[in-house]
Amino acid sequence: MRAVKKLTNFGLVIYGLLSCVLFQHVSADSFYRAYYSQMRLDLVTRLQQLGVHGHIDIFGKNKLGLYIPTDSISPQCQEHSQLYLKGVEQYERWALEMLDSSGKVPSGLFNGNVQDLGNFEQCLESVTIAPYNVQYCALWIKNLHKLPDTEVSWEDSPPAVGGVDMFRPYLEIGICLPASCKKADIMSHYNNMLTPYNMSIDLNKYACTVANERDPLTYPDIFFLIILAVTVTLGIAGSYLSIFNPNPDSKPGSLAKLLSCFSFYGNAKSLITLTSSKEPLMILHGMKCISALWVMLAHAASFMFIFPMMNMSTALKFVSDRLTSMVMVKGELAVDSFFFITGVLVFYMANKSLKKGTRFYIPYFYFSRFIRLAPAYYMHILIILTVVRYMNGGPMWKYHVLTPRDNCYKSWPYHLIFANNFINTEEQCTPTDWYVAIDMQLHILAPLLMIPLFKSRKWMSHFLLPFIILVGSLALGAVTYINNFPATFMNDRLSFRPKSFTDEYVLTYLRFTPYAIGILTGYILSKGKLKISKTLAWLGWLVTSSLLGVVLWMSWYVHQETVLYDRTIAALHNGMQRTAFALFLAWIVLTCEFGMAGPLKKLLSWKLFQPMSRLSYAIYLTSSGLQYSMASSRLHSYAFSETEIYRDLCGDIVYAVGIAFIFCLLFEAPYVKLANLVFNRNNTTERTVKRRRSGNSQYVLQEAGAVVNNT
């Protein structure tokens, strides 16, 4: 015991010395917070240039010019604008409703509030009494704040992640206008109106929503509805047979087996069935559940910086000042936990199948993963392309939903072949689709690592695989250093270094280290129980947790306001973080499975984690879209509050689990069961041979939380 204490104290001393060496006299790179601090200083000068003292009198000399486009091009827009102006002057209700629906220059400019969306609903409802049709437009007024001096011009940089712009410090005001005023009219009027203030206007193609506008069904919409109708019909028929089987003692025929794959009742029962927590690797259910929740937390943190917020500076302090906030900031590591878990299970289950005499048949190995990922993924893409636009509305809805859809129309063929992380990378259907492509690509490459390990080649397990992991970490650090990429949270990186998404974040050869560590962990588990002394166990905990602690501490440090970017620290952080996190997870798995984790194994093996673990893939596919769409449908700016963030997250979790459950029943579980129905044919000797060839594929289907029990 004394030896353990001495070892622990020694480790803490080394940890402290390492921290001093790493964090003394260095510079960090949190651009976001530095920008907002500088903005407070620059804004005073800018207001002095405008000859005003704050938001109350910006455009004060031309108040109505902000709301009524009298200086337009088309005769009809001019006519309606003059009618609008006359109605305001004569206090007509319809004109006052339109004027009252428009936003104003917001208060709180010094705290980062740059949006006033007005009253979207009141504007569109005013059409019932207005003498013409009306529209709501969200205007981006540039150059109230000075843009940051960065390597990439914010004016020219392409949208990041799925086609949606990350943060831009434009003054955004919602205006209620006559529908006869087209883009050219609006641009002409507002550019003329803003020129004296040294400002300009930006109007994207989805900035305006016309009252009573209709979006007719398209052929892709009809195609999706047909698939949905067929799936629901099969699900109801299968459920009827599962519940009211007229011949329970007879052997089911081919049609009955097919319908059972789509049975809502049978698949739901499989999803919620709890199995023994004493089975091997049951702790992975807990890890997958926690990772799914962590992904949602990360997306909640990301989306709150994209959409209107009254106190942006307060939110940035929350992210930057607290070490505990790094759990939210480093949410991107949750995706690496899924790569690690998949690597563990792919090797462990395939090796288990081999020990039972099943041949490792590579075509079936690939096909099983395709069946596991593709049907749900393809339906997810189809929903983005079709019916999602009907699901809500609001002043920002069209822009934030239809812009990614337009990009998805350009890139969906590359999504179908799992190449969207290399081709048309900036045009993702949703911001998270790159993960599925990398997962499939890693699965294709996995046999290169697995086959030598199956044959117990020590050169692979002892030398080559650790060397590959080391090279992967060094390569990521080198890419960060060469390209001058930051080490801060995702929004910060994408706003100030848009290429970090395409050139670093989504590339398979820079993200494979957790997967490789997972395969190596599965190999160690397959060799049997290891005998590790308590001293060595404590040392393992100390080393892995210290490495992860250094990464979290570095992340906290680089977000501080008082220092500037340093590429060496950024390269060290980015190169270490995924490998350090995966090693920490590997040690958790090994100690739990070899009986050295105490109550941690009991916690992670808790049976109630199993249903959500089985839904984790569906949650990943649907939750980001759910959270993004809910934020996109906001009718006004909101004020950041720590308690409200977690309250909203709890609501997101409830919605996400419910939607993922329905999505899984419709588009995931049936196809996994169909695959297992094919893999387990055993009516003849020939079919038995085929089943033995493809047996490992069933384990691969099971590893991702699929529903595989034929009920």
Side-chain angles (χ1 to χ4, degrees):
M1 194 66 183
R2 290 182 180 178
V4 173
K5 288 183 177 180
K6 289 181 179 180
L7 185 61
T8 303
N9 292 333
F10 176 74
L12 292 175
V13 170
I14 297 299
Y15 188 31
L17 291 174
L18 179 61
S19 303
C20 293
V21 171
L22 287 175
F23 303 121
Q24 191 173 14
H25 307 302
V26 295
S27 299
D29 55 352
S30 184
F31 298 106
Y32 248 134
R33 185 166 178 188
Y35 166 66
Y36 269 97
S37 298
Q38 186 64 38
M39 187 186 75
R40 288 180 170 177
L41 301 176
D42 295 340
L43 187 56
V44 176
T45 303
R46 183 70 178 116
L47 294 179
Q48 186 177 13
Q49 292 172 351
L50 294 172
V52 300
H53 296 90
H55 74 96
I56 57 174
D57 49 2
I58 294 178
F59 311 129
K61 297 178 182 178
N62 190 13
K63 288 183 179 179
L64 292 181
L66 180 62
Y67 306 111
I68 305 176
T70 53
D71 192 11
S72 54
I73 297 176
S74 67
Q76 189 176 22
C77 179
Q78 289 182 2
E79 178 185 348
H80 289 170
S81 297
Q82 290 296 333
L83 186 61
Y84 184 10
L85 178 61
K86 184 178 179 180
V88 170
E89 292 173 343
Q90 296 181 354
Y91 291 89
E92 295 187 33
R93 179 187 162 190
W94 65 268
L96 294 180
E97 277 197 20
M98 288 182 63
L99 186 64
D100 183 56
S101 300
S102 299
K104 288 76 180 172
V105 177
S107 61
L109 293 173
F110 286 88
N111 201 20
N113 185 21
V114 291
Q115 289 118 339
D116 188 339
L117 299 177
N119 196 307
F120 176 80
E121 293 175 318
Q122 180 177 294
C123 173
L124 299 185
E125 289 171 0
S126 67
V127 71
T128 58
I129 57 174
Y132 45 68
N133 199 9
V134 301
Q135 64 180 337
Y136 173 97
C137 295
L139 309 180
W140 283 358
I141 299 175
K142 301 181 180 181
N143 204 31
L144 174 62
H145 299 305
K146 180 183 177 182
L147 287 172
D149 183 16
T150 62
E151 294 182 358
V152 179
S153 170
W154 277 11
E155 300 288 355
D156 302 328
S157 62
V161 192
V164 174
D165 286 313
M166 303 305 270
F167 173 74
R168 297 289 188 270
Y170 303 140
L171 179 63
E172 185 174 357
I173 299 179
I175 305 292
C176 195
L177 299 170
S180 58
C181 297
K182 306 305 180 185
K183 181 176 181 179
D185 296 305
I186 298 172
M187 294 292 292
S188 173
H189 169 79
Y190 282 101
N191 279 325
N192 292 334
M193 179 251 174
L194 294 170
T195 297
Y197 304 97
N198 190 26
M199 297 181 189
S200 60
I201 189 73
D202 188 19
L203 195 71
N204 65 73
K205 64 183 292 188
Y206 294 121
C208 297
T209 301
V210 178
N212 302 320
E213 70 179 15
R214 295 288 182 264
D215 191 354
L217 287 175
T218 62
Y219 287 117
D221 298 332
I222 297 171
F223 177 64
F224 169 77
L225 293 175
I226 291 173
I227 292 177
L228 180 62
V230 171
T231 303
V232 170
T233 302
L234 292 174
I236 293 173
S239 300
Y240 178 82
L241 287 179
S242 299
I243 301 172
F244 306 104
N245 189 350
N247 299 307
D249 297 329
S250 62
K251 187 175 181 180
S254 299
L255 179 60
K257 289 181 179 180
L258 174 65
L259 291 176
S260 70
C261 294
F262 288 86
S263 169
F264 295 146
Y265 173 80
N267 289 335
K269 185 178 178 181
S270 298
L271 278 172
I272 64 175
T273 298
L274 304 180
T275 58
S276 173
S277 59
K278 296 181 180 180
E279 294 293 325
L281 293 178
M282 295 302 289
I283 62 165
L284 296 185
H285 282 299
M287 294 176 71
K288 288 170 67 178
C289 182
I290 294 171
S291 298
L293 296 177
W294 195 6
V295 167
M296 295 187 65
L297 175 63
H299 289 155
S302 178
F303 295 151
M304 76 180 182
F305 289 105
I306 301 177
F307 298 98
M309 188 188 302
M310 296 179 181
N311 52 345
M312 182 75 76
S313 298
T314 303
L316 288 168
K317 287 182 180 179
F318 168 75
V319 171
S320 302
D321 285 349
R322 299 187 184 186
L323 186 59
T324 53
S325 296
M326 292 305 105
V327 176
M328 183 180 292
V329 170
K330 303 309 296 178
E332 62 188 79
L333 292 177
V335 180
D336 294 301
S337 69
F338 281 116
F339 286 137
F340 167 79
I341 291 169
T342 302
V344 172
L345 285 164
V346 162
F347 183 88
Y348 184 84
M349 293 301 185
N351 187 73
K352 183 178 178 180
S353 182
L354 283 172
K355 289 181 178 179
K356 292 182 177 180
T358 303
R359 176 187 172 189
F360 183 70
Y361 196 55
I362 291 181
Y364 280 108
F365 179 75
Y366 290 157
F367 179 71
S368 66
R369 195 61 180 172
F370 177 83
I371 290 296
R372 177 69 188 93
L373 297 178
Y377 182 48
Y378 291 170
M379 292 308 302
H380 152 79
I381 294 172
L382 185 58
I383 291 172
I384 297 300
L385 290 172
T386 57
V387 298
V388 71
R389 67 187 188 276
Y390 299 112
M391 294 181 179
N392 218 319
M396 302 175 294
W397 176 259
K398 287 175 62 176
Y399 170 69
H400 285 295
V401 171
L402 298 186
T403 302
R405 184 201 64 176
D406 290 348
N407 285 286
C408 193
Y409 269 118
K410 300 175 186 175
S411 63
W412 67 265
Y414 308 115
H415 285 67
L416 297 188
I417 61 173
F418 303 97
N420 50 289
N421 64 320
F422 284 103
I423 307 174
N424 281 29
T425 312
E426 292 175 345
E427 295 173 336
Q428 303 290 309
C429 291
T430 65
T432 56
D433 287 347
W434 57 270
Y435 165 82
V436 185
I438 293 180
D439 186 292
M440 191 66 198
Q441 292 163 18
L442 290 174
H443 199 78
I444 292 173
L445 296 173
L448 297 176
L449 303 178
M450 293 171 61
I451 292 175
L453 292 175
F454 289 151
K455 299 180 178 180
S456 298
R457 305 299 191 206
K458 291 186 178 181
W459 54 267
M460 172 58 77
S461 59
H462 289 47
F463 302 106
L464 185 56
L465 191 51
F467 177 74
I468 291 174
I469 294 169
L470 176 62
V471 169
S473 302
L474 294 175
L476 181 55
V479 168
T480 298
Y481 188 88
I482 293 170
N483 292 280
N484 206 23
F485 288 151
T488 47
F489 67 109
M490 177 53 62
N491 294 56
D492 202 67
R493 298 210 298 276
L494 292 179
S495 292
F496 292 85
R497 302 287 196 280
K499 287 296 182 181
S500 65
F501 181 75
T502 57
D503 296 352
E504 178 248 325
Y505 192 72
V506 300
L507 297 179
T508 306
Y509 56 83
L510 296 178
R511 295 213 68 130
F512 73 90
T513 51
Y515 191 87
I517 292 173
I519 287 179
L520 186 58
T521 304
Y523 170 76
I524 295 172
L525 291 172
S526 68
K527 302 302 289 185
K529 191 174 181 65
L530 292 179
K531 294 182 179 180
I532 302 178
S533 65
K534 290 185 177 180
T535 301
L536 190 58
W538 276 104
L539 180 62
W541 281 111
L542 180 63
V543 171
T544 56
S545 59
S546 295
L547 286 173
L548 183 60
V550 168
V551 169
L552 294 177
W553 197 349
M554 291 173 69
S555 179
W556 168 79
Y557 185 79
V558 299
H559 282 88
Q560 299 310 296
E561 183 179 8
T562 56
V563 286
L564 299 175
Y565 171 75
D566 184 276
R567 64 165 59 186
T568 302
I569 296 300
L572 183 61
H573 170 275
N574 290 357
M576 284 180 58
Q577 64 170 343
R578 292 169 190 165
T579 301
F581 180 62
L583 289 173
F584 181 72
L585 295 181
W587 190 249
I588 290 177
V589 171
L590 293 175
T591 52
C592 286
E593 291 303 305
F594 295 149
M596 297 176 293
L600 181 60
K601 179 177 181 179
K602 189 173 182 180
L603 172 64
L604 293 176
S605 301
W606 189 32
K607 287 184 178 181
L608 292 183
F609 282 138
Q610 294 177 22
M612 190 167 178
S613 171
R614 297 183 185 118
L615 288 172
S616 59
Y617 181 50
I619 289 174
Y620 184 85
L621 289 179
T622 59
S623 64
S624 63
L626 169 69
Q627 291 176 284
Y628 183 77
S629 63
M630 292 179 70
S632 299
S633 63
R634 287 196 181 108
L635 298 176
H636 51 75
S637 302
Y638 74 103
F640 168 80
S641 168
E642 182 178 354
T643 56
E644 290 187 7
I645 284 292
Y646 296 116
R647 181 202 65 188
D648 293 345
L649 178 63
C650 292
D652 290 347
I653 292 171
V654 174
Y655 275 112
V657 171
I659 291 175
F661 184 78
I662 296 172
F663 186 86
C664 182
L665 293 183
L666 288 171
F667 307 124
E668 182 183 355
Y671 300 99
V672 174
K673 279 196 169 184
L674 278 173
N676 280 283
L677 185 64
V678 174
F679 291 151
N680 288 286
R681 293 176 300 175
N682 55 5
N683 293 333
T684 63
T685 304
E686 180 182 358
R687 288 179 177 177
T688 301
V689 172
K690 290 183 179 179
R691 181 185 63 82
R692 289 176 61 81
R693 281 185 170 184
S694 60
N696 65 294
S697 299
Q698 180 179 355
Y699 288 111
V700 175
L701 290 169
Q702 287 176 320
E703 65 82 12
V707 181
V708 295
N709 297 324
N710 291 321
T711 58

